[in-house]
Amino acid sequence: MHPLTGVLDPAHLSALTARTEGRPDVVVGVVDGAVDPGHPDLALQPIRFVGAPIPGRDPDAPPGHGTLVVSSLAARPTAPTPGICPGCSFVVRPVPGVDVPPAAPVDLAYALADVVTVGARVVNLSLALQRLPIAGPAGPADDPGIGMLLDTVELARRHGVVVVAAAGNDGELGGPPLVRHPWVIPVVACDDEGRPPPTSTLGRAIGRHGLTAPVLPHELSGTSAAAPVVTGAVALLWSLFPGASAEAVRDAVTRPRSPARRPSVVPPLLDAAYAYEVLRDVSA
């Protein structure tokens, strides 16, 4: 039994972790802050860095945001908190100059394009977008980097790459343009009873094509910790159904057992067991 089974029971992730740790030909992309490749939980794991150079490591510093996100997915099975899909391969693209996100939209666009180009099947974005101090009704959407980022999401869609993004912890309705894109799966964190905290960013688009997920038991919190749960589920589903298309995997993982819940601004809870059933029936 996977050590995280009890923590992730609300999402029924054990239906996947009991069957596989992931396949090495399923490449998981992570775009985040600086990642420490020398972290003991990541020792000997199949992690490749692309794009930005790896920042120097301070041996006395606690693990940073990017290291914790990668560990959520890739930490070796014998680690104190093992990763969700440690048998997969990983491509990591640190965003230059960012340790604790948010990131500039143009930097995020370049980073996402890098991991798509080198073969990621699913990409985790546990970071927020910087907001420009622009007055007027258009607000941060005036940033030309937003259009570039959304174009890069379309690039991911054309390449069959599933994009999972943290919905945000601003306690507002709507969310940034990234999580409103119909190809992106925005993720909202929840407590043990499936309820999102008051700080959650919610909205019609998030409720329509997003998911709620529990958080992993480490220093991360909020949507940064919940997004890797969905990313890991996608990676495990692709490991179990390697011939499935990106559209089929994305549909399976976001399809709720009760379709009537979809009109809400709060997305349904990830149900990995149901996603497995959906793909099993499609693949039969």
Side-chain angles (χ1 to χ4, degrees):
M1 179 178 293
H2 195 285
L4 294 175
T5 295
V7 176
L8 300 177
D9 264 352
H12 301 148
L13 206 70
S14 60
L16 307 181
T17 57
R19 292 179 165 91
T20 184
E21 292 182 349
R23 291 166 51 114
D25 58 333
V26 175
V27 180
V28 180
V30 179
V31 175
D32 211 281
V35 176
D36 175 14
H39 191 280
D41 289 356
L42 301 177
L44 304 179
Q45 287 298 87
I47 299 174
R48 174 187 177 195
F49 287 81
V50 297
I54 302 170
R57 175 175 181 259
D58 179 356
D60 298 322
H65 189 279
T67 301
L68 291 171
V69 169
V70 174
S71 296
S72 298
L73 296 160
R76 54 190 170 79
T78 56
T81 303
I84 295 173
C85 51
C88 293
S89 298
F90 300 88
V91 57
V92 175
R93 171 53 157 89
V95 178
V98 174
D99 184 27
V100 179
V106 65
D107 289 338
L108 183 53
Y110 280 122
L112 177 58
D114 281 345
V115 294
V116 168
T117 301
V118 299
R121 303 285 298 278
V122 55
V123 180
N124 189 88
L125 306 176
S126 283
L127 36 67
L129 295 179
Q130 290 177 355
R131 300 190 180 193
L132 295 182
I134 301 174
D142 287 342
D143 182 351
I146 292 291
M148 183 177 177
L149 176 58
L150 298 182
D151 287 344
T152 309
V153 173
E154 282 297 315
L155 173 72
R157 182 187 61 79
R158 292 194 300 271
H159 280 74
V161 180
V162 176
V163 179
V164 179
N169 305 297
D170 297 321
E172 61 184 23
L173 286 175
L178 173 65
V179 301
R180 298 199 302 268
H181 191 287
W183 183 249
V184 173
I185 303 175
V187 182
V188 174
C190 68
D191 60 19
D192 292 342
E193 297 182 6
R195 298 173 302 192
T199 55
S200 300
T201 297
L202 305 171
R204 285 184 298 177
I206 294 171
R208 186 166 56 247
H209 55 82
L211 289 167
T212 299
V215 300
L216 295 169
H218 51 42
E219 295 92 332
L220 283 179
S221 62
T223 54
S224 287
V229 176
V230 175
T231 299
V234 171
L236 294 176
L237 286 167
W238 240 325
S239 298
L240 293 165
F241 302 96
S245 67
E247 289 81 3
V249 172
R250 186 185 174 285
D251 173 70
V253 79
T254 58
R255 184 190 299 184
R257 286 185 186 267
S258 175
R261 293 193 59 187
R262 270 300 180 191
S264 172
V265 297
V266 180
L269 182 66
L270 167 67
D271 189 339
Y274 183 58
Y276 175 83
E277 294 171 9
V278 171
L279 282 175
R280 181 193 59 196
D281 293 344
V282 170
S283 305

